[in-house]
Every structure is written in structure tokens, then in C-alpha cells.
Amino acid sequence: MSGKEVFYQGNEACAEGALYAGCRFFGGYPITPSTEVAELLSRRLPKVGGAFIQMEDEIAAMASIIGASLVGKKSLTATSGPGMSLKLENLGFACITEVPCVILNVMRGGPSTGLPTGPSQSDVMQAKWGTHGDHPAIVLTPASVQEIFNETVRAFNISERLRTPVILLTDEIIGHMREKIVIPEKGELEIWDRPRPDCPPEEYLPYDTSKGIVPPMADFGSGYRFHVTGLNHDASGFPTNKPSLVEPEEERLMAKVTENLDMIEKYEYFQKDGAKVGVMAFGSSARSAKAAIKQAQEEGIPVDLLRPVTLWPYPEGPTIEMAGRVDTIVVPEMNLGQMINEVQRCIEGRAKVVGVNRVDGDPITPENILQKIREVV
Amino acid sequence: MAFNYDQYMRPGKLPHIWCPGCAHGTVMKAIIRAIDRVGLEKDRTVIVSGIGCASRMPGYVDFNTLHTTHGRSLAFATGVKMADPSLNVICVAGDGDSLAIGGNHFIHACRRNIDITMIVFNNNIYGMTGGQFSPTTPHGRLASTTPYGNPDYAFDVAELSMGAGATYVSRGTVYHAVPLERQIADGITHNGFSVIDALCTCPTTYGRRNKLGSPIDMILWFKDNTVGIKAAQKLSPEEMEGKILTGVFRNDIKPEYCEEYQKIVEMAQGG
Ligand SMILES: Cc1ncc(C[n+]2csc(CCOP(=O)(O)OP(=O)(O)O)c2C)c(N)n1
Ligand code: SF4
């Protein structure tokens, strides 16, 4: 990748990635450890003709980005666990109304106020199931500062193309760590915009899927007048409770994700000949896992690694593949065992699954993981 | 010639969900006439609401309309307005929607002085959920969750708005539909945050329980129990006892939020 080399913090990389993707609106409410995103964008957005607003709370921040997106602006909000809890109601609104937007959750310890400056990975299930009702979830978990930049761009791209909110799930460690990264030249990374209608305004139906699973989306104020509601609605956007319309709508929201896995799924997988152990790790725990695997290798223990970059939908295929090769899968995560359930669900007993867990505010170390690897071989 | 509401209505979206005798329709019509009076373009106008009987209003009218989550209309509307300050943004909300769950957004929109017009359909009750008390239910009144009389004290919407910094504040009633229309029109043309406290009636869940008579009786009640602020100056405290003040309480000029932000954009780009 050509481009400008910079020494960036993870949160800064998210803000810069957002600008690169074309984000022109940020609505937020300060919370550690995500605040740098708001601070940087309050400086940078007006320079590019965008808008920054510090709202009265996270509920309002989430609402404001949906409002701005309806006017056609790519929009971002950034928060941490307690704020994410507040955003969930309106996250569901963005799901059912199909309004693109990106939400960064820099995870910290919890529940409640928890550990404001301590890292955690305990919002992974909230990211999938937090808001009420059945709904799709697209959640990306970068593990380095460069990846935060790139995945932020990808989050906007997916969000626009599928008209759905996308969650970026990082944690205090990578949010605050600094690394050298390359900011790609303009045009180097592809930027996608939402599908917009080309029919005459009188014919526009905001949820008409006759030409594809993702309906074109007009900007408020552009001459296409339409209605948006969080109620179940028909193709015209107006409320309906007809079973024959409600169920297909719900199923289509899910299908936008399941039928576009090629675009959404991303993971790193490496297999070592003769491995009896595999590790499934994501985000900052994956960094420790890589160090642990390297050390294990030096001790003569080959280990497979699966690192989901897209956490939801979870990469089932690669997990099953790994389970077919190894006897045991080690799942290190900074929570008391959330993703481990997903691994178990996928592999249906094809391998043993053991966790390495920590919720004391300290990262899971390579040593923690190595010890478990040694234990299971 | 009678006013032609059809030009602003969405064909096929009627009948509305409101009960016979509900005064929300009167407020909706005042809003439509006000929009017509000031000449807003349909394509350049966004009407935002939360959840409640009042909040169903945007579905019936032919603008860019956004029916959001309970209490949050102003937060959505703020994003809309900031994203394109040239749009006309109007919020409609019930008293529960705007002042209970939405109370925080309400006071902060007042404080920011963003150019949004907020019309509170104030019927003193939660209509949609069946008549629980709201922040404007008077002390002592009956509601489905105050079977022994309301222990809470009510907000005065106008005083709250002024205290929080709104720059246009008025109160009208559905009995005084023409002055109400004028206030809404003034609120729309006012450059800053405007609050119109539109006193209306819910005969179904509030009137019935409090024995306030027929829907017409409830509307006529406003005739005898409200006093315009000019007329009030000539009345003694005894004569004012129990009366509700109506009229324009504040119409101030103060820098508008999006215009202030535009200055920031220019500063950031110049420097
Ligand atoms: C988060 C949330 N809490 C509660 C409700 C239930 N609810 C729907 S409408 C409403 C109150 C409506 O009252 P008001 O805003 O005064 O409007 P009205 O129906 O009287 O016009 C409530 C509590 C909801 N929809 N969402
Ligand atoms: S319940 Fe009350 S507010 Fe709701 S439509 Fe009926 S009369 Fe109107």
C-alpha cells in the first residue's frame, strides 16, 4: 500500500478511516476509552465541510446520526459499554428502517460503569443481540491500528451497500495503542455509496425490493418524499401489521446479511502441520494469541489460529474446519466466556473447547495462553 | 373558499387512528394551515415525531416524514437539521413523549437554540397506552396509574422552555385554532428553537376518567379557562385564579445553532 506513514492511536485511526470513507457527520457523547474519536472529529469534520455535534447523551447521539444519514450524510458515533447500552434502542430503529450508519464500541470492563480504563471483550454478545427483536448484526473486530483504519472504511462500505448499521468492536488496548500505519492514497481503497433511486419521485417506494434485496434510498430533501417509521412497514414505508408482509420483511433484513457473506466475512486462518491445538481469538486477545503461538512453535508445539475480523456473522466454516484438524480449541477472551459458546455451537462436539478468561482489567498475556496450550497437548 | 387540506395530505392514508372527538386532528390542521401560510416547500420540509397518538401525525401529511422512537424526535431532528440546515424541520410530539422520556432532549434543544419548531400536542395524558398520567397531568387528577389522584406536579411547558433557553415560546389551544395556527407559523419562521404548547384534548382516556363531559365540552373548557397574556394584564389575581395563560410568551433573537456551527466551519477551513 502506498500512502502516508503516520504514528497513530487506534481511536485516531478510526476517525481518519471514517473521514477517508466519506463520513461527514459525527454525533457523540464522551466516554472513556472512546473519547479521542470525538475529539479528533470535532477538529477535522468542519475542515471537510462536515458536522460534529456533542449531543446530550448516547441515545440522542445515535438518533442524530440516523437523522443525518437520512439526509444522505455518512455518519458515525463512538462510545463504550455504558453508552452502547443506551444506543441499543435506536440501533434497532436503524436496523428496521435500513438506515446506514457506523457505531464504534471501544469495549471496557463492565457491567455498568465497570472499569472505565480497563479493557474487556465483554460486549460481543450485546453487539449481536443487544437491541430487542430479531435483527441482523454486522460486527467487525480489528486487532491492530492499521486494521482499525481499514475496517472502519469497510464498515462504512458494508453499511452503505446493505443499508444497515455496522458495529466496529474494539477495546481499550487497541483503541489507545499507537502503531505506525499507512494512510492509503485517495482512491486506493474502494469507497461505496448507498444505492440511490433513479425512478421519478412519484414512483419511488422506499422499501421496494423488486430490483434487489437492498432497496434504493433517497435523501430527505432531494425531491423524493417518503415516510420512515420504526413500525413494521410495507414497500411504501407505511405501517402494516399484515402477517404476509411482516414476516418477509423480517426475513429480508436477515437475508441482506446471509446472502452477502462474501462481502462481509473476513478472517485470518493459519494452519500448522500436525497441530493438535487450535486457537480462536479476536481483537487484542488475538495479538497475545499470536505471540503465544510463536512461542509454542519454538517449543515444538504446532498450533492453528483462527482470527475473525468479522465477528458477526461468525465464521462458522473455518471454525468447523479447524475443529476437524485439531483435538482442542483454545478460546482466549477478556470476558467470562462469551464467544466460546459460539465456537461450541458451530463445531457440535467435533473438538474439545477450553477458555482462557480474564476480567480483571489486565490483558490476557501470551503466557496465559501458552500455559493453556501446554496444558492441553 | 374553504382551505384545501388535500394538497398536503397523503392520499390513501386516511382514516387516521385518532378516536372520534380527539383534538389531535385540530392541531394537525393548524400545522398544515401554518405551513401553507408561510409557504414551506413540501420537498424541503421534514416532519419528525416520536411515539404516541400525537406522533402518528406525520404519517398523514405529504412531506419528508420520520416517525422515530418514543421521546427521541428532537434528537433525530437535530441530526437532520445539522446535516442540511436549509431544510425546514418540524417536530410533533405528545406531552409524555416530549417531556417525560424526551425531557432531556427537549431542554437541550431549547438550550442549543437550533432552528427546529416543536409542537407539543398537550392533552395532559398518555393517550396511546391507555391513559396513564403524564408530566402535564394536573396534581390530583385521575389517570389509570393515579387511581387515588395524581401525586405529581405538572410541568408548565412554556416556563420550562423559557428556562431552558428556547427563543420562541407560545401557548395556544384547539378552541383558539386560528391563533394557534398563527403561533405555529411564527414558530416556523422564527430563526431558532420554537416551542408551541398546543393544549388539546383526549376525551377517551383523560376526559372520561375525570368526568370532563363530551369532547365538545372539553374543547369549550378552554374558552372559559384560558386568558390571553394581554387580557391577563387587566385582571386581578383573584380573577386569574385557575386560569391558563395563552399567547406568545417569548420571541427573542439569539444566534441560531447551525449558523453558529457554520462560523466554526469557516474558521476551521480558513485557519
Ligand atoms: C421506550 C418506550 N417506552 C414506552 C413506550 C410506550 N408508549 C407509547 S406511547 C406512550 C405515551 C404517549 O403519550 P403522549 O406522548 O402524551 O402522546 P398521546 O398518545 O397522548 O398523544 C408510551 C408510554 C414506548 N413506545 N417506548
Ligand atoms: S386515546 Fe386520546 S389522544 Fe389518543 S387518539 Fe384517542 S382521544 Fe386522541
Side-chain angles (χ1 to χ4, degrees):
Chain A
M1 209 156 51
S2 66
K4 195 171 78 181
E5 271 189 11
V6 290
F7 188 57
Y8 266 1
Q9 189 195 51
N11 284 342
E12 289 170 354
C14 175
E16 291 297 340
L19 291 170
Y20 187 97
C23 171
R24 290 297 175 267
F25 185 86
F26 180 95
Y29 189 81
I31 184 167
T32 307
S34 76
T35 309
E36 294 83 3
V37 181
E39 288 172 342
L40 199 143
L41 287 173
S42 70
R43 237 182 0 256
R44 298 274 278 113
L45 273 169
K47 282 191 197 294
V48 296
F52 165 91
I53 188 166
Q54 182 171 312
M55 295 297 287
E56 52 274 16
D57 58 31
E58 286 87 350
I59 303 171
M62 186 67 211
S64 74
I65 71 167
I66 298 170
S69 183
L70 278 162
V71 184
K73 295 278 194 305
K74 291 186 190 176
S75 307
L76 173 74
T77 188
T79 191
S80 187
M84 196 64 199
S85 295
L86 292 181
K87 289 187 190 297
L88 294 173
E89 180 197 31
N90 285 336
L91 178 72
F93 183 88
C95 284
I96 199 169
T97 55
E98 302 180 63
V99 176
C101 53
V102 177
I103 302 101
L104 169 72
N105 176 0
V106 188
M107 289 180 279
R108 69 188 215 181
S112 190
T113 309
L115 294 173
T117 55
S120 110
Q121 295 178 313
S122 50
D123 302 348
V124 295
M125 282 296 164
Q126 182 207 44
K128 181 163 172 60
W129 294 119
T131 188
H132 57 277
D134 271 327
H135 58 86
I138 301 177
V139 180
L140 315 181
T141 71
S144 69
V145 177
Q146 180 75 58
E147 206 169 59
I148 290 181
F149 182 95
N150 293 25
E151 288 304 296
T152 302
V153 174
R154 203 166 73 94
F156 274 98
N157 283 350
I158 296 171
S159 172
E160 288 284 314
R161 199 161 273 189
L162 297 184
R163 287 190 60 182
T164 191
V166 172
I167 295 173
L168 276 164
L169 200 59
T170 66
D171 61 65
E172 193 278 332
I173 298 174
I174 28 174
H176 280 161
M177 109 187 347
R178 284 186 182 274
E179 287 181 320
K180 191 177 82 177
I181 71 164
V182 180
I183 305 282
E185 303 283 357
K186 198 169 166 233
E188 199 172 332
L189 299 184
E190 209 184 333
I191 303 299
W192 300 343
D193 290 327
R194 63 194 68 175
R196 287 191 165 83
D198 51 13
C199 63
E202 319 78 75
E203 287 168 24
Y204 179 57
L205 290 171
Y207 298 96
D208 175 22
T209 50
S210 60
K211 293 210 183 79
I213 195 165
V214 184
M217 180 173 176
D219 302 343
F220 268 2
S222 67
Y224 291 82
R225 292 192 299 277
F226 62 105
H227 185 57
V228 178
T229 176
L231 289 160
N232 277 97
H233 41 264
D234 60 20
S236 72
F238 287 94
T240 180
N241 49 15
K242 273 199 197 117
S244 61
L245 293 175
V246 172
E247 193 161 286
E249 183 194 5
E250 298 267 329
E251 283 169 352
R252 180 176 61 79
L253 293 184
M254 294 293 187
K256 288 201 294 186
V257 174
T258 51
E259 289 182 15
N260 286 289
L261 284 182
D262 288 354
M263 177 202 303
I264 303 165
E265 237 184 20
K266 191 169 173 185
Y267 55 85
E268 190 184 4
Y269 182 36
F270 55 77
Q271 47 189 60
K272 287 282 167 333
D273 286 341
K276 290 278 166 274
V277 190
V279 176
M280 192 296 286
F282 57 96
S284 60
S285 299
R287 300 173 73 100
S288 296
K290 280 188 178 175
I293 288 167
K294 211 168 137 223
Q295 266 172 271
Q297 214 75 40
E298 280 161 18
E299 292 175 20
I301 313 171
V303 182
D304 279 13
L305 174 79
L306 170 63
R307 178 176 75 88
V309 178
T310 303
L311 195 63
W312 300 113
Y314 181 74
E316 291 186 18
T319 309
I320 293 168
E321 194 182 329
M322 189 160 79
R325 288 173 42 81
V326 300
D327 298 334
T328 311
I329 297 178
V330 177
V331 183
E333 45 183 343
M334 281 184 281
N335 58 48
L336 290 176
Q338 296 192 16
M339 289 310 292
I340 195 170
N341 293 331
E342 184 66 10
V343 173
Q344 271 160 342
R345 184 190 69 77
C346 290
I347 66 173
E348 295 176 320
R350 289 185 187 90
K352 220 174 116 194
V353 187
V354 294
V356 177
N357 307 88
R358 253 185 118 146
V359 288
D360 59 358
D362 280 340
I364 293 178
T365 62
E367 190 54 37
N368 294 150
I369 300 169
L370 186 62
Q371 218 177 320
K372 187 61 80 182
I373 292 172
R374 287 199 202 108
E375 227 172 85
V376 299
V377 281
Chain B
M1 205 182 84
F3 186 87
N4 174 18
Y5 292 96
D6 285 355
Q7 55 183 316
Y8 293 102
M9 302 302 291
R10 283 178 161 136
K13 294 305 160 201
L14 295 174
H16 53 67
I17 62 151
W18 296 319
C19 305
C22 175
H24 282 353
T26 308
V27 184
M28 175 172 75
K29 286 167 96 175
I31 294 172
I32 292 174
R33 292 193 308 274
I35 286 175
D36 185 77
R37 186 195 272 243
V38 305
L40 296 191
E41 257 183 81
K42 290 204 249 182
D43 281 338
R44 303 297 299 161
T45 302
V46 183
I47 304 188
V48 190
S49 69
I51 298 290
C53 297
S55 287
R56 285 301 188 92
M57 179 270 184
Y60 308 126
V61 293
D62 188 18
F63 298 90
N64 302 279
T65 50
L66 177 55
H67 177 231
T68 69
T69 44
H70 191 31
R72 318 294 175 202
S73 61
L74 283 168
F76 282 84
T78 300
V80 168
K81 185 73 184 174
M82 279 289 277
D84 184 353
S86 72
L87 292 170
N88 308 297
V89 183
I90 297 170
C91 276
V92 296
D95 40 279
D97 189 76
S98 53
L99 301 172
I101 193 164
N104 199 32
H105 310 307
F106 186 89
I107 57 174
H108 288 279
C110 292
R111 173 180 66 82
R112 246 173 235 131
N113 196 34
I114 187 161
D115 186 20
I116 293 171
T117 307
M118 172 69 153
I119 298 140
V120 181
F121 288 52
N122 187 351
N123 59 8
N124 309 107
I125 201 80
Y126 286 7
M128 185 163 265
T129 39
Q132 300 75 30
F133 76 95
S134 87
T136 60
T137 305
H139 183 72
R141 284 297 176 132
L142 298 178
S144 71
T145 46
T146 56
Y148 307 107
N150 182 15
D152 287 25
Y153 291 95
F155 268 141
D156 180 314
V157 179
E159 285 186 9
L160 177 72
S161 311
M162 288 190 281
T167 48
Y168 180 94
V169 178
S170 72
R171 179 178 294 132
T173 87
V174 287
Y175 175 80
H176 307 90
V178 175
L180 178 64
E181 168 195 330
R182 203 179 313 124
Q183 290 174 14
I184 297 169
D186 287 350
I188 293 170
T189 48
H190 175 75
N191 188 28
F193 192 66
S194 322
V195 179
I196 293 97
D197 183 17
L199 303 184
C200 58
T201 55
C202 171
T204 306
T205 75
Y206 185 65
R208 195 171 38 86
R209 194 172 267 111
N210 286 286
K211 303 201 168 25
L212 300 179
S214 71
I216 302 291
D217 292 337
M218 287 182 75
I219 292 170
L220 288 175
W221 186 88
F222 290 129
K223 179 178 171 225
D224 301 325
N225 292 280
T226 58
V227 181
I229 47 170
K230 284 223 184 76
Q233 285 164 357
K234 299 190 194 97
L235 299 180
S236 67
E238 293 74 43
E239 289 168 309
M240 281 303 292
E241 182 69 32
K243 296 281 194 290
I244 301 170
L245 272 185
T246 57
V248 179
F249 303 117
R250 181 186 280 173
N251 190 355
D252 284 352
I253 296 169
K254 193 173 137 187
E256 191 275 329
Y257 188 81
C258 297
E259 289 175 9
E260 288 296 287
Y261 195 79
Q262 189 50 37
K263 289 184 199 157
I264 288 173
V265 170
E266 281 154 26
M267 216 190 302
Q269 292 181 347

